[in-house]
Amino acid sequence: MGVAAGAAFGVALAVSSMMQPARAGGPLPYDGPAPPPNVSVAFLYNQFASASTFYTANGTKLGNTHIQTDVPVLRFVHTFSPIDGMPWGVQVIAPYVSFLGNQEVGGGSVSHQSGFAEPQLSAFLYPVNHPSQDETVVLAYFLSPPSGSYNPSIALNASTNNWVNNFEIGYMHKVFGQAKGKRLDLEVWADGYFYGNTNVASGENLKTDPAAQFIVYAPYYFHPQTDAYVGLSFEKTFGGKVSLASGSNPAGMPLAGLAAIGGENNFTRIGVIAGSFLSPTIFAQAQLATDVQARGGAKNDIFFQVQVGKVF
């Protein structure tokens, strides 16, 4: 049943702590298998993150921090007839970012504004698809236009207000077991992000360097009839340094935003994952994780996401 939930690529949320670059929330294990042709899949995600510490780019820890978000995400995927035997399709993703309560960094309040993040338009292709061997390779491209909720006088925005080009490759293969039976899989995902400038004041722009993200999953499928699994997750991000594209300190830019210049918001995250089909066309997945390292941004004590999908 799991192949029906394929092509569920990561939700590249435009949530940014202190005006840092957007990064993907991450694919989940059902994203690995290639989906059947000419189907549609509707998704509802919810992601919750809570941080009590903030780390500057040089590693200085700022306690008395409270950054908490809840992000519901709508997503729609449609597949088409294969091209030379390669499954492919398109998708649209729409996240909404809610900041919960007062947001603080180092004991000081920071301004914040909830709203829609940039929508994402995506196409994907499976150049390698060997279900009998439990092996796939998938390529995806995401384009996010600067159309989310953004106010340059606000420190924490739902949007980063810039163009984002995201290139993704995923690889899945079984480590041991039977392809259609009980087995341990290995999934490796790599993303590259390329950003346009962000306008923060009249005549002033922020420049964001390219960033990279790596995600590894090790799901163990213990109930083949429903593709039920449990497993471990690992995530690491690099790059994304923020600097002024022109001029000096832009007039009117919030102090929190100025503090972020030079930061990269890199983190290392570990967690547990689980999922199952609830019926032949309805599935659910979840991840519970924590950040074990952070630089230039918030260090999440809790990151929890749950996903429900329906295949049509």
Side-chain angles (χ1 to χ4, degrees):
M1 299 181 191
V3 295
F9 299 107
V11 180
L13 301 179
V15 183
S16 60
S17 294
M18 317 307 272
M19 303 184 73
Q20 295 297 327
R23 296 240 169 69
L28 288 169
Y30 286 156
D31 303 333
N38 302 310
V39 300
S40 296
V41 189
F43 298 83
L44 175 62
Y45 289 76
N46 196 80
Q47 297 184 339
F48 171 81
S50 180
S52 59
T53 53
F54 186 95
Y55 285 83
T56 65
N58 62 9
T60 301
K61 178 182 178 180
L62 302 178
N64 297 319
T65 291
H66 175 86
I67 299 178
Q68 195 170 85
T69 59
D70 186 74
V71 184
V73 183
L74 295 176
R75 179 173 164 211
F76 182 79
V77 175
H78 185 75
T79 63
F80 302 93
S81 298
I83 300 175
D84 291 333
M86 297 182 293
W88 74 288
V90 296
Q91 60 182 325
V92 179
I93 301 168
Y96 184 89
V97 181
S98 296
F99 291 99
L100 306 179
N102 294 325
Q103 310 298 301
E104 297 180 323
V105 174
S109 296
V110 292
S111 56
H112 54 279
Q113 176 177 277
S114 300
F116 280 99
E118 277 80 5
Q120 294 174 33
L121 311 176
S122 172
F124 56 88
L125 175 73
Y126 283 79
V128 176
N129 181 33
H130 301 143
S132 62
Q133 303 173 38
D134 192 35
E135 180 182 41
T136 60
V137 174
V138 58
L139 304 176
Y141 169 67
F142 298 84
L143 175 65
S144 299
S147 55
S149 176
Y150 181 80
N151 184 336
S153 66
I154 298 295
L156 293 175
N157 280 277
S159 162
T160 52
N161 195 40
N162 57 353
W163 287 93
V164 182
N165 291 275
N166 174 15
F167 299 89
E168 181 177 74
I169 181 171
Y171 172 75
M172 182 193 77
H173 199 286
K174 66 180 177 65
V175 177
F176 63 77
Q178 300 297 317
K180 300 298 182 181
K182 294 182 179 180
R183 67 193 186 278
L184 176 67
D185 274 3
L186 176 68
E187 290 191 21
V188 180
W189 300 83
D191 287 81
Y193 298 88
F194 300 88
Y195 305 93
N197 289 346
T198 299
N199 180 264
V200 292
S202 178
E204 300 290 351
N205 291 280
L206 286 182
K207 173 187 175 183
T208 304
D209 289 347
Q213 177 184 37
F214 295 95
I215 300 174
V216 179
Y217 291 127
Y220 177 68
Y221 292 84
F222 62 90
H223 194 259
Q225 289 80 1
T226 61
D227 257 2
Y229 73 85
V230 295
L232 302 175
S233 65
F234 172 84
E235 182 176 355
K236 178 69 177 176
T237 61
F238 305 89
K241 182 178 180 179
V242 181
S243 59
L244 284 172
S246 63
S248 57
N249 290 355
M253 184 175 179
L255 178 61
L258 289 173
I261 293 177
E264 299 182 35
N265 198 23
N266 293 329
F267 63 85
T268 303
R269 180 174 295 164
I270 59 173
V272 293
I273 49 175
S276 179
F277 269 74
L278 309 178
S279 77
T281 61
I282 299 176
F283 59 91
Q285 301 184 88
Q287 178 188 26
L288 177 62
T290 186
D291 294 350
V292 296
Q293 174 270 341
R295 287 293 183 273
K299 180 175 178 288
N300 287 315
D301 304 303
I302 296 174
F303 175 82
F304 176 72
Q305 67 172 326
V306 60
Q307 174 200 92
V308 177
K310 166 69 176 176
V311 182
F312 297 91

